[in-house]
């Protein structure tokens, strides 16, 4: 190992991580309660120790070099180990303490707080840092090792991952209650294609799954409107802009109060599995280990929680299940 690396300080690495997360020297200075020249000095000293630049400016934007990305991964491991040590010391005192860093796809954000609340009943001194992303952003975080664990529904097949399917995520067709399709009998996906469809942004796992499924069923929508969030889709449907294919969990309250209606489409719901995952071989903190074990061992509790998010009196029997890869 280069002897120069042993001269790096934790403070320098903390400042470096702040610059990486903010992509700004001035915002990092504010976050670290330092002056901007002090931040610049610490970064220059790090670059001298590494023998390589850490950041590039293109226009007025800051970009990480390959050396910075390597240091960022190493620093995440270093601080993760320190956090794990703190958890282990707390465990020796008889309680599990620390923070769980969890990234979830947006389709799971309505359920995960209830899941964590159930976990916290067993471990009340554990805190949660929750990041909500779309599928493409979750993959980037996975590659950068940004989180302890991730929850997503489309597990990538080209990565060596440990994953645990734990709950079905039913995708349904929804319409405003006065829509003409609401007064009709059993429908097919093809019946929906005469109306505009509100879709998520590129990079959304729900959008990709729905597009693949509709293509498989030869249901092609001539008119689509792109909306950047599930909340936007939901409000757009309520406003009468079109139909949408949405996770039932995400629109449970709107279905309960009658603002939306689930259309009786014979090919739906499309069920995908939410999976809890991490890179195989990744060192998990005691808190992450405990959460993974909780999800693995508490299936009956998780299913009971999920019933709150099902349509009252609705048929939750799986019809079409998109299974995770093996």
């Amino acid at each position: 190992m280069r002897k120069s690396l042993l001269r790096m300080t934790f403070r320098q690495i903390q400042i470096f991580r702040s610059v990486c997360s903010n992509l700004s020297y001035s915002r990092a200075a504010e976050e670290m309660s330092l002056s901007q020249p002090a931040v610049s000095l610490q970064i220059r000293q790090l670059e001298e120790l590494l023998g390589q630049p850490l950041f590039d400016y293109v226009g007025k934007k800051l970009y990480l070099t390959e050396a910075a990305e390597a240091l960022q991964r190493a620093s995440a491991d270093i601080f993760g180990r320190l956090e794990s040590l703190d958890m282990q010391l707390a465990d020796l005192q008889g309680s599990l303490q620390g923070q769980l860093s969890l990234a979830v796809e947006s389709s799971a954000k309505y359920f995960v707080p209830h899941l964590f609340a159930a976990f916290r009943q067993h471990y009340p001194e554990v805190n949660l840092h929750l990041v909500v992303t779309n599928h493409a952003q979750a993959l980037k975080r996975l590659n950068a090792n940004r989180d302890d664990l991730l929850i997503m529904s489309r597990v990538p097949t080209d990565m060596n991952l440990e994953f645990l399917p734990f709950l079905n995520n039913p995708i349904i067709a929804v319409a405003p209650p006065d829509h003409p399709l609401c007064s009709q009998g059993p429908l097919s996906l093809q019946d929906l294609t005469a109306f505009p469809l509100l879709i998520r942004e590129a990079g959304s796992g729900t959008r990709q799954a729905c597009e693949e499924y509709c293509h498989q069923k030869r249901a092609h929508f001539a008119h689509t409107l792109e909306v950047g969030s599930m909340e936007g889709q939901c409000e757009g449907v309520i406003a009468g802009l079109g139909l949408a294919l949405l996770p039932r969990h995400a629109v449970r309250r709107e279905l309960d109060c009658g603002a939306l209606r689930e259309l009786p489409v014979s090919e739906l719901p499309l069920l995908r599995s939410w999976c809890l995952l991490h890179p195989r071989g990744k060192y998990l903190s005691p808190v992450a280990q405990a959460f993974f074990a909780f999800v693995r061992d508490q299936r009956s509790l998780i299913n009971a929680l999920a019933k709150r998010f099902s349509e009252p009196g609705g048929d939750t029997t799986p019809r079409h299940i998109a299974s995770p890869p093996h």
Side-chain angles (χ1 to χ4, degrees):
M1 183 176 69
R2 299 184 184 187
K3 292 183 179 179
S4 60
L5 297 181
L6 297 176
R7 298 202 298 273
M8 286 192 299
T9 67
F10 285 113
R11 186 62 170 169
Q12 286 174 331
I13 298 175
Q14 285 178 313
I15 293 170
F16 163 76
R17 284 164 61 85
S18 180
V19 175
C20 288
S21 63
N22 289 288
L23 292 178
S24 165
Y25 279 40
S26 59
R27 287 196 293 270
E30 183 178 348
E31 183 176 88
M32 300 297 296
S33 299
L34 296 170
S35 67
Q36 186 169 330
V39 170
S40 300
L41 175 62
Q42 294 296 327
I43 296 299
R44 282 200 304 273
Q45 290 177 348
L46 266 180
E47 290 176 331
E48 290 173 4
L49 291 173
L50 294 170
Q52 296 188 47
L54 291 171
F55 301 101
D56 286 327
Y57 271 106
V58 179
K60 295 185 178 181
K61 201 167 183 180
L62 197 67
Y63 292 89
L64 276 66
T65 65
E66 289 187 15
E69 290 176 351
L71 179 58
Q72 188 180 40
R73 288 191 294 269
S75 67
D77 186 56
I78 290 169
F79 280 86
R81 292 298 179 109
L82 288 174
E83 185 177 352
S84 177
L85 173 61
D86 185 47
M87 294 176 193
Q88 290 173 8
L89 293 173
D91 195 32
L92 290 174
Q93 294 176 337
S95 65
L96 184 64
Q97 300 176 6
Q99 178 173 274
L100 175 68
S101 177
L102 184 64
V104 306
E105 285 188 358
S106 54
S107 62
K109 68 181 180 181
Y110 299 93
F111 175 75
V112 167
H114 298 271
L115 176 61
F116 182 75
F119 171 75
R120 206 162 185 257
Q121 289 180 4
H122 297 267
Y123 304 103
E125 296 185 67
V126 173
N127 295 313
L128 175 66
H129 178 249
L130 180 66
V131 176
V132 178
T133 72
N134 65 22
H135 183 74
Q137 293 164 343
L139 290 179
K140 290 181 180 178
R141 297 185 69 87
L142 185 59
N143 279 309
N145 195 26
R146 296 279 301 276
D147 310 285
D148 295 326
L149 298 166
L150 293 94
I151 291 177
M152 62 174 58
S153 55
R154 296 174 62 86
V155 178
T157 58
D158 58 346
M159 300 180 69
N160 189 17
L161 301 172
E162 184 80 27
F163 66 92
L164 174 68
F166 66 92
L167 187 65
N168 282 328
N169 176 28
I171 297 175
I172 61 173
V174 295
D178 58 351
H179 195 278
L181 289 180
C182 292
S183 60
Q184 297 185 22
L187 302 169
S188 68
L189 276 173
Q190 187 64 42
D191 294 326
L192 275 55
T193 60
F195 301 91
L197 183 71
L198 277 63
I199 61 175
R200 284 281 303 280
E201 77 285 356
S204 160
T206 300
R207 170 175 170 171
Q208 188 174 355
C210 291
E211 286 179 343
E212 290 175 357
Y213 189 62
C214 288
H215 179 74
Q216 175 190 335
K217 296 297 181 180
R218 298 184 178 180
H220 305 295
F221 289 84
H223 303 289
T224 59
L225 291 83
E226 185 173 303
V227 184
S229 68
M230 283 186 297
E231 292 84 357
Q233 282 179 291
C234 179
E235 290 301 321
V237 175
I238 293 172
L241 294 178
L243 310 175
L245 300 174
L246 288 168
R248 183 182 283 143
H249 303 306
V251 292
R252 175 181 61 90
R253 290 184 177 87
E254 288 76 10
L255 292 171
D256 288 349
C257 73
L260 290 178
R261 290 276 299 276
E262 177 176 349
L263 296 175
V265 179
S266 59
E267 298 99 329
L268 298 176
L270 168 64
L271 294 187
R272 303 151 69 214
S273 290
W274 277 326
C275 297
L276 182 66
L277 58 89
H278 62 82
R280 196 179 300 274
K282 172 185 172 73
Y283 178 81
L284 295 182
S285 70
V287 165
Q289 291 178 42
F291 187 76
F292 199 93
F294 177 82
V295 173
R296 183 190 62 221
D297 300 335
Q298 298 291 332
R299 298 298 182 88
S300 59
L301 172 62
I302 291 171
N303 287 328
L305 284 173
K307 286 181 181 178
R308 301 180 190 175
F309 297 88
S310 298
E311 182 186 24
D315 178 12
T316 58
T317 303
R319 292 191 179 93
H320 303 279
I321 301 177
S323 301
H326 296 285

